[in-house]
Amino acid sequence: MTSEEETDSPQTQQHDDNGDSTENTTKRMMLPIRLISTVVRGFGRGSSDLGIPTANLSREACNTDNFDDLPCGIYWGFCRIGEPQSESPTATTAVTASDDVYLGKVYKTAVSIGYNPTYGNEKKTVEPHLIASATDERRHASSCGETVLMDFYDQPIRLSVVGHLRPELPFEGLDKLIEAIKNDICDAERLCDSTDDITLGENAWVSSS
């Protein structure tokens, strides 16, 4: 999730009566967004530069005709790669690493939608970072202490973008970006535990066939 994008300053953004920017309000009105696609290779920057790997959605295989109209920003939601599991491990069962144990499970997810302008990307990407449970041995396996699962290339992916966390912002260096993304992951974990009807419904949709 390497996206950074120049945004209007707080002085120039329009705000609603509650002090929130009208852009952010519009984004929330578009949610939740349900996407079905295939995992494709990205640039590998999430893993190599940041230690926060992502499962990049194929534009061509995506179920939306308006990929370029998807709202830019950082979001939270749920994601499943592969077909749904008939039985899932209990929350108290430690998961061990193997080639396919991560397929078919629903994961809490922090999602970047945007252009990664720091790297000069010209096309919009959707990049969910799957967050393993606290009992999973891969939960803090990366170089910066975040989830590393497996390479999911060519696998089907089902993603629900449930809520907006923040706009894409420019950062001074990778350390600042990593710090921000780690905060996004913490926020995503917390918000995915919500018990409102929308959150529960989107979790159920992601787990469905």
Side-chain angles (χ1 to χ4, degrees):
M1 186 167 47
T2 60
S3 300
E4 303 172 32
E5 181 177 84
E6 292 287 349
T7 57
D8 292 338
S9 67
Q11 290 76 19
T12 60
Q13 283 185 341
Q14 293 183 333
H15 290 74
D16 61 21
D17 292 338
N18 295 319
D20 196 8
S21 71
T22 53
E23 178 185 7
N24 291 346
T25 300
T26 300
K27 289 177 180 179
R28 279 192 281 270
M29 291 175 63
M30 298 175 68
L31 302 174
I33 298 171
R34 294 177 174 182
L35 299 173
I36 299 173
S37 189
T38 302
V39 180
V40 295
R41 290 183 181 273
F43 293 101
R45 297 161 182 156
S47 297
S48 62
D49 290 1
L50 305 177
I52 305 173
T54 57
N56 301 307
L57 273 67
S58 166
R59 297 169 58 93
E60 291 73 22
C62 197
N63 64 325
T64 178
D65 294 328
N66 301 310
F67 197 97
D68 286 319
D69 293 332
L70 294 172
C72 293
I74 310 300
Y75 300 86
W76 63 274
F78 301 98
C79 185
R80 188 194 82 218
I81 297 176
E83 298 305 321
Q85 290 185 353
S86 56
E87 295 182 7
S88 300
T90 64
T92 58
T93 301
V95 178
T96 57
S98 71
D99 288 342
D100 59 0
V101 71
Y102 302 110
L103 293 174
K105 293 181 60 179
V106 175
Y107 287 91
K108 299 175 181 179
T109 306
V111 188
S112 170
I113 301 178
Y115 292 93
N116 301 332
T118 297
Y119 295 102
N121 289 7
E122 296 182 356
K123 292 185 177 181
K124 180 175 289 185
T125 59
V126 177
E127 305 177 56
H129 170 72
L130 280 61
I131 307 167
S133 67
T135 57
D136 193 312
E137 64 182 25
R138 307 308 300 275
R139 173 60 182 86
H140 300 289
S142 81
S143 60
C144 71
E146 296 301 338
T147 301
V148 177
L149 299 178
M150 57 176 281
D151 291 334
F152 295 111
Y153 305 132
D154 301 322
Q155 291 285 344
I157 182 169
R158 179 176 285 229
L159 171 68
S160 173
V161 182
V162 182
H164 181 246
L165 292 175
R166 62 173 176 86
E168 293 180 301
L169 298 169
F171 294 93
E172 296 182 358
L174 293 182
D175 288 343
K176 294 288 188 180
L177 176 57
I178 291 170
E179 180 182 359
I181 296 174
K182 288 176 72 69
N183 287 335
D184 297 334
I185 291 170
C186 289
D187 289 340
E189 284 190 287
R190 173 178 53 83
L191 290 165
C192 284
D193 286 332
S194 301
T195 57
D196 60 276
D197 289 344
I198 292 177
T199 302
L200 294 177
E202 293 309 297
N203 191 329
W205 177 77
V206 171
S207 67
S208 65
S209 300

